[in-house]
Amino acid sequence: MARTFPPDLVQTQREWTRTYEALARTPFRTALRRRLQLLSCRIASHPYWSADRSTADRTELRRQARTEELQERERRTA
């Protein structure tokens, strides 16, 4: 069963994914590393996690965010 995450949390995870990919393409970019760290803190401190969520929830958040990113890329190239 798919979990429903707050839209702002999913958006932050999508930003995290894009930043991570950009850092992978251009390593040693301090601004990207700092952005990744900021986004990681925002994700970890989001109120959604205060309900004692599992590691599986975090994995599902990343999976859903990646899926949305891929779908958006496909729409842009179609």
Side-chain angles (χ1 to χ4, degrees), residues 45-60:
S45 65
H46 193 279
Y48 178 82
W49 305 119
S50 66
D52 196 30
R53 308 291 179 170
S54 70
T55 303
D57 289 315
R58 293 178 189 267
T59 302
E60 179 63 15

Side-chain angles (χ1 to χ4, degrees), residues 19-67:
T19 303
Y20 185 88
E21 289 172 352
L23 185 59
R25 287 189 303 272
T26 56
F28 309 113
R29 299 288 183 189
T30 301
L32 290 174
R33 286 196 315 269
R34 287 183 181 150
R35 177 81 175 140
L36 197 59
Q37 195 169 31
L38 172 69
L39 293 168
S40 294
C41 290
R42 285 184 184 165
I43 291 167
S45 65
H46 193 279
Y48 178 82
W49 305 119
S50 66
D52 196 30
R53 308 291 179 170
S54 70
T55 303
D57 289 315
R58 293 178 189 267
T59 302
E60 179 63 15
L61 171 64
R62 287 190 297 271
R63 189 197 66 74
Q64 284 185 25
R66 273 194 301 267
T67 299

Side-chain angles (χ1 to χ4, degrees), residues 8-24:
D8 64 320
L9 181 57
V10 175
Q11 182 58 38
T12 303
Q13 181 65 52
R14 290 178 68 187
E15 290 176 32
W16 188 96
T17 301
R18 286 191 299 267
T19 303
Y20 185 88
E21 289 172 352
L23 185 59

